[in-house]
Amino acid sequence: MRERARADAASWTEDPYTEALALGRGPLRLRAADGWSLALDVERWCAVADAADMTVLDRCQGTVLDIGCGPGRLVAALGEYGHPSLGIDINAAAVARTVRRGGRALRRSVFDPPPPPGTWDTALLVDGNIGIGGDPALLLRRVAGLVRPGGLLLVEVAGEDVDERLRVWMENARGATGTPFPWARLGAPALRRVARVSGWSPVDSWSKDARDFAALRRG
């Protein structure tokens, strides 16, 4: 798992991602060697929680761990909701921005030694973070060790029925690129398949403002 953490950290802790966070805007894309690309919504990540985010926060229960919290909009909003929460992210600029917004955050990967395991009531994998490490089954098993039995995992999924394992890199408008790293994309059907073999039971799904989500409960 530590090897997986180092592979992901290679690009998420360097320019052009750190530069985009500092500016609060893109353009920033993930790219793959076969021409595949995906725009990253840096502006939304750096803004306040929006209506689609609120549908996730409304479902949170108890203590909340936001995995890959980025610049902290969800952690900040959870504080306003009264949920004890913690964000974890491997990017120092993201953690610093979360703290400036009044949230609690630690610089670490989900594959590093975790915050108190088995104690969190809810975990979040939003903004495509089901892709962390490029192996969703491994990631879900890891998160199962962090959440208490019966706890929730709220996941943002791709809008289409997709199940992709990719090697990608970051690229900005100037063509500057980061180090390649493993990533994944799952739609709702693929997430349900992976969840059932990774210690989770699908319990809900919903859409808001062209974004799609699913709730899983730890078995």
Side-chain angles (χ1 to χ4, degrees):
M1 288 187 182
R2 298 300 295 275
E3 295 298 324
R4 188 64 54 92
R6 283 192 288 270
D8 261 357
S11 228
W12 292 99
T13 58
E14 64 186 26
D15 291 332
Y17 177 62
T18 296
E19 180 182 283
L21 286 186
L23 295 172
R25 64 179 187 274
L28 188 67
R29 306 188 73 86
L30 294 180
R31 288 200 179 275
D34 64 359
W36 178 95
S37 71
L38 179 71
L40 300 178
D41 199 348
V42 179
E43 290 86 349
R44 178 170 60 77
W45 298 350
C46 292
V48 298
D50 62 18
D53 295 326
M54 290 301 178
T55 67
V56 176
L57 303 185
D58 285 340
R59 289 168 167 82
C60 288
Q61 300 173 357
T63 57
V64 183
L65 180 66
D66 185 4
I67 299 165
C69 66
R73 76 184 190 283
L74 299 182
V75 176
L78 283 163
E80 297 174 4
Y81 265 61
H83 284 286
S85 61
L86 175 70
I88 58 173
D89 201 285
I90 57 177
N91 185 279
V95 170
R97 190 159 181 158
T98 300
V99 172
R100 287 198 301 271
R101 297 174 81 155
R104 293 175 58 235
L106 297 175
R107 186 184 181 189
R108 65 178 62 184
S109 164
V110 66
F111 297 112
D112 285 335
T119 62
W120 297 94
D121 298 305
T122 305
L124 306 180
L125 286 169
V126 182
D127 299 329
N129 284 334
I130 187 62
I132 289 172
D135 186 338
L138 176 65
L139 177 62
L140 290 179
R141 288 194 295 270
R142 178 63 165 172
V143 178
L146 301 178
V147 174
R148 65 168 177 80
L152 283 175
L153 174 59
L154 305 178
V155 183
E156 185 166 358
V157 295
E160 65 268 34
D161 184 2
V162 62
D163 187 352
E164 295 178 319
R165 308 295 185 273
L166 305 158
R167 189 161 184 82
V168 299
W169 59 85
M170 302 269 189
E171 183 176 293
N172 64 18
R174 302 191 309 276
T177 61
T179 305
F181 60 97
W183 198 247
R185 291 182 71 234
L186 297 185
L191 177 67
R192 288 192 293 269
R193 290 193 298 269
V194 175
R196 291 189 179 104
V197 298
S198 305
W200 298 92
S201 298
V203 293
D204 194 12
S205 62
W206 69 99
S207 299
K208 176 69 175 178
D209 297 339
R211 294 170 62 194
D212 295 272
F213 306 92
L216 311 175
R217 192 171 295 281
R218 184 185 162 195

